[in-house]
Amino acid sequence: MTQHATQGEGTALTIPPSLVGVWKARAVEDATGDAEPVDVEIEFGADRIVRLTGPRDEHGEPYFTGRGEWSQDPATEGLFRFALRHPLPGPVPGEARAELDGAFLHGRGFLAKGHTYCHYEDGTVTGPSVITVEGADVSTPVVVLHRWTTSPERQNAVADTLLDAWRRTPAPASPRALTVFVSTNGDTVFGYEQWSSSAELRDFERLGRQAVEGDGAVEGAERSPALVAVPYRSRTVDAGPAGSSATPGCVVITTFGFGSAENARAWADAITVAETAQPEPTPGLLARHFLISGAAADGGVQVLNCSEWSGEDAHRAFLENPVVTPEWQRVEEFTSGITHGPGRRCVPRGTLPTD
């Protein structure tokens, strides 16, 4: 999906440091003073689950994997805490349990320190040993969706104002893709920014958002809070010879609220399975993309569902003539756990090159 974004109205968007994403890290667990560092991979999920992949052997397989939880207090920006458990490497069965406190380093990485205890199957516990973990962002893509509500008479003017602001103002960083969409019913303007990493986005929020957006006021439009999300899964439907993809005539942008990231992912998985299991592809569907927001204060998350269609009529026909299969019935079972956000059929008003 060749999507991108805008800027807008109201107070400038401020995004506190976020752990959500995958980090390459170097860990040193030192009980004796001469420990060697090991390279690990840590994924902090929007569901507040942290997953650890240990150092890898000569075949690329990790010696161990771990799991835990993480938290971040909004009142202490840049600080966080996480706990991990993983099997002990080597012949003696047991489990390592670590708790660490961390802080961001200039928005590009983090440093965390804590203690590890080793719990063995015979009931023996050793420790604590001091553990230090230094992480570097590995460029998990981030999307920012902005939304302005307006009138059919003002819609194009609002979209053009947003595009012009980006063109006029040199910013210290630019998204890798930026598009302004207008809804076909005339009441909405969407901005879709795609960033290569959360670190780049954080730098832009700190140094560039105000320069691009000014005071954020857009005449004749009401701005909704921005949605920051990370890609979860995408599916492209081949159209034409040699798998060539058709140009979408309509992009449908919709948000859905869930009580947990686990349910959000399960719903996205269910739709993907249902579409691939159909006897025939959905007529006019070209691609579908699911993105998941960071956890909200109440523990819930939002899913951004962006689908590409050959045209409005194809999407309308999909809604009016639902496919009846066991897989789609499974999707329907999620209905009671979903909060539907506003959805709109859209076309791009403008795309800015960011090279």
Side-chain angles (χ1 to χ4, degrees):
M1 186 171 181
T2 312
Q3 278 159 256
H4 337 339
T6 92
Q7 77 298 330
E9 174 262 73
T11 58
L13 176 64
T14 301
I15 301 175
S18 173
L19 282 178
V20 175
V22 179
W23 303 74
K24 295 292 185 184
R26 176 156 286 192
V28 178
E29 187 174 335
D30 199 345
T32 62
D34 58 358
E36 292 293 326
V38 295
D39 294 323
V40 299
E41 184 175 278
I42 301 176
E43 179 184 359
F44 292 94
D47 53 2
R48 303 296 179 175
I49 298 299
V50 56
R51 298 168 178 84
L52 171 71
T53 302
R56 298 178 183 274
D57 61 21
E58 65 273 16
H59 304 294
E61 295 297 321
Y63 285 102
F64 58 82
T65 59
R67 184 181 174 92
E69 300 80 34
W70 68 275
S71 61
Q72 186 174 1
D73 186 349
T76 55
E77 183 173 311
L79 303 180
F80 57 91
R81 172 171 290 184
F82 64 101
L84 280 169
R85 295 186 176 196
H86 66 80
L88 292 172
V92 181
E95 182 180 65
R97 301 177 188 177
E99 293 187 359
L100 301 96
D101 291 299
F104 285 92
L105 303 175
H106 311 297
R108 295 289 183 180
F110 70 81
L111 181 66
K113 295 184 178 182
H115 295 90
T116 298
Y117 291 84
C118 296
H119 294 251
Y120 298 93
E121 286 192 355
D122 64 3
T124 304
V125 178
T126 62
S129 57
V130 176
I131 182 169
T132 302
V133 178
E134 187 168 359
D137 197 334
V138 295
S139 300
T140 300
V142 179
V143 165
V144 185
L145 181 74
H146 302 273
R147 175 189 173 93
W148 293 265
T149 303
T150 184
S151 64
E153 295 76 20
R154 289 287 304 158
Q155 186 185 50
N156 287 341
V158 168
D160 292 343
T161 295
L162 302 171
L163 288 164
D164 289 343
W166 278 97
R167 294 188 183 103
R168 288 193 316 267
T169 309
S174 296
R176 70 177 184 178
L178 168 66
T179 295
V180 173
F181 291 93
V182 292
S183 65
T184 57
N185 72 346
D187 70 359
T188 302
V189 175
F190 285 108
Y192 193 106
E193 298 171 11
Q194 292 185 77
W195 294 86
S196 296
S197 69
S198 57
E200 283 194 2
L201 176 58
R202 289 194 295 270
D203 281 352
F204 177 71
E205 298 299 345
R206 183 169 55 90
L207 300 172
R209 182 70 70 182
Q210 183 66 22
V212 171
E213 296 191 358
D215 63 7
V218 177
E219 182 182 353
E222 179 181 351
R223 182 178 182 174
S224 299
L227 175 67
V228 181
V230 295
Y232 173 59
R233 65 184 307 164
S234 293
R235 176 174 175 265
T236 301
V237 181
D238 290 341
S244 60
S245 295
T247 301
C250 171
V251 175
V252 181
I253 299 175
T254 313
T255 58
F256 299 87
F258 290 83
S260 70
E262 181 180 4
N263 288 341
R265 288 194 298 269
W267 176 76
D269 293 343
I271 290 179
T272 303
V273 169
E275 288 182 337
T276 55
Q278 290 177 195
E280 299 291 337
T282 301
L285 176 63
L286 306 179
R288 189 183 295 278
H289 314 273
F290 295 100
L291 304 95
I292 300 181
S293 74
D298 62 359
V301 300
Q302 284 188 290
V303 173
L304 174 58
N305 179 6
C306 298
S307 56
E308 301 178 46
W309 299 82
S310 58
E312 285 188 85
D313 289 344
H315 182 249
R316 225 177 257 112
F318 167 73
L319 296 181
E320 294 173 355
N321 303 280
V323 178
V324 181
T325 64
E327 291 80 11
W328 276 111
Q329 180 59 43
R330 168 65 178 145
V331 174
E332 291 300 317
E333 293 173 4
F334 284 88
T335 301
S336 61
I338 298 177
T339 302
H340 290 264
R344 292 292 183 270
R345 302 183 184 99
C346 303
V347 294
R349 177 65 178 179
T351 298
L352 298 184
T354 60
D355 297 333

